[in-house]
């Protein structure tokens, strides 16, 4: 039996997939992600987040650049002449700009999103080491918590011999049994900037 021969329906499916991935706009997100991250983990939220269909559809539309941002209205629909962002009035208002590039959102919405993600990581670490988990996920964690197994620091400034650009990592886990410290810094870059951000974090700790 020749195992390399595919059933007709499998062939069809594969062809269909290739077709949408090759579309200039609708395949763009997939192609960008494929280059910098694992596709399976990237789409885990579709199975695990428990979002409603309409919320999932909205997120997918944003990923496909299919929302009526001012850049789309000006450049694609031609229903507006100025593509610039309604908040900062500087860069074109693309989905990418709204989710990760607008300076008017940097100190508010982006900061809040960053902290919310870091708190989820923090809470999981506390559970893992049997430390008390803050009651509400909206609470800012204490600077230091400790038990016999570990010491966890949150947003803690370090004095270093050599001057570092960032000496305040989001979380530091000091595992007393393994005698090991792990520094965790959370970043939420736009999908296309994952690689760039990773290099930044490693190059400028
Ligand atoms: Zn803006």
């Amino acid at each position: 039996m020749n195992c390399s021969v595919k059933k007709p329906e499998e062939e069809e499916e594969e062809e269909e997939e290739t077709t949408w991935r090759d579309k200039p706009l609708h395949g763009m997100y997939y192609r960008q992600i494929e280059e910098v991250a694992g596709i399976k983990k990237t789409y885990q939220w579709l199975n695990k987040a428990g979002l409603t269909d309409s919320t999932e559809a909205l997120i997918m539309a944003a990923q496909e650049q299919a929302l009526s941002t001012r850049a789309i209205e000006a450049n694609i629909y031609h229903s507006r002449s100025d593509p610039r962002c309604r908040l900062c009035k500087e860069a074109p208002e693309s989905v990418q700009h709204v989710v990760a590039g607008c300076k008017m959102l940097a100190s508010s919405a982006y900061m809040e999103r960053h902290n919310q993600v870091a708190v989820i990581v923090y809470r999981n670490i506390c559970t893992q080491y049997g430390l008390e988990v803050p009651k509400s996920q909206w609470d800012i964690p204490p600077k230091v918590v400790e038990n016999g197994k570990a010491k966890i620091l949150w947003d803690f400034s370090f004095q270093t011999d050599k001057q570092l650009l960032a000496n305040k990592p989001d979380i530091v886990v000091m595992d007393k049994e393994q005698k090991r410290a792990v520094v965790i810094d959370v970043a939420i870059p736009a999908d296309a900037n994952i690689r760039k951000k990773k290099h930044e974090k490693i190059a400028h700790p």
Side-chain angles (χ1 to χ4, degrees):
M1 192 177 135
N2 186 350
C3 294
S4 67
V5 175
K6 286 182 184 139
K7 284 188 239 160
E9 60 266 38
E10 278 179 356
E11 258 172 25
E12 258 168 41
E13 252 174 42
E14 199 169 88
E15 249 170 46
E16 213 171 89
E17 235 173 60
T18 317
T19 325
W20 75 258
R21 274 190 221 166
D22 289 341
K23 288 194 177 201
L25 198 58
H26 290 90
M28 195 199 290
Y29 177 74
Y30 190 96
R31 287 196 302 275
Q32 280 176 348
I33 290 302
E34 200 178 28
E35 276 182 25
V36 292
I39 289 288
K40 215 172 171 186
K41 283 188 179 168
T42 300
Y43 283 105
Q44 245 174 11
W45 63 274
L46 279 169
N47 286 329
K48 295 191 171 177
L51 300 172
T52 60
D53 293 353
S54 57
T55 307
E56 283 181 1
L58 181 66
I59 296 171
M60 299 296 267
Q63 289 177 339
E64 301 292 340
Q65 310 281 325
L67 298 182
S68 272
T69 59
R70 292 198 170 178
I72 294 283
E73 286 172 6
N75 302 329
I76 310 280
Y77 302 148
H78 303 291
S79 57
R80 147 187 316 277
S81 58
D82 186 356
R84 286 178 306 167
C85 168
R86 69 196 74 183
L87 287 178
C88 68
K89 308 207 167 30
E90 285 181 6
E93 190 190 88
S94 60
V95 168
Q96 182 141 326
H97 176 78
V98 174
V99 298
C102 183
K103 67 176 190 187
M104 299 296 282
L105 296 172
S107 60
S108 51
Y110 300 163
M111 181 60 84
E112 198 179 308
R113 177 178 61 186
H114 166 276
N115 289 345
Q116 282 172 6
V117 171
V119 164
I120 293 170
V121 176
Y122 178 88
R123 294 170 70 85
N124 286 338
I125 293 168
C126 287
T127 306
Q128 193 187 324
Y129 284 103
L131 285 153
E132 197 185 332
V133 179
K135 279 196 184 66
S136 159
Q137 62 174 348
W138 309 109
D139 284 353
I140 300 286
K143 288 273 175 201
V144 186
V145 290
E146 188 171 8
N147 65 8
K149 288 183 187 166
K151 186 175 182 178
I152 319 288
L153 310 177
W154 167 267
D155 201 26
F156 196 92
S157 298
F158 280 86
Q159 298 291 326
T160 47
D161 298 339
K162 208 174 97 185
Q163 201 181 355
L164 294 178
L165 278 178
N167 64 346
K168 209 175 175 188
D170 294 321
I171 303 166
V172 178
V173 183
M174 293 160 142
D175 188 308
K176 294 182 182 178
E177 282 162 3
Q178 292 186 28
K179 298 198 181 343
R180 196 172 67 134
V182 177
V183 176
I184 299 169
D185 220 23
V186 173
I188 308 178
D191 300 297
N193 290 337
I194 292 173
R195 190 177 287 156
K196 194 174 141 220
K197 197 75 197 174
K198 194 173 165 188
H199 284 293
E200 261 176 44
K201 286 279 180 195
I202 293 168
H204 306 291

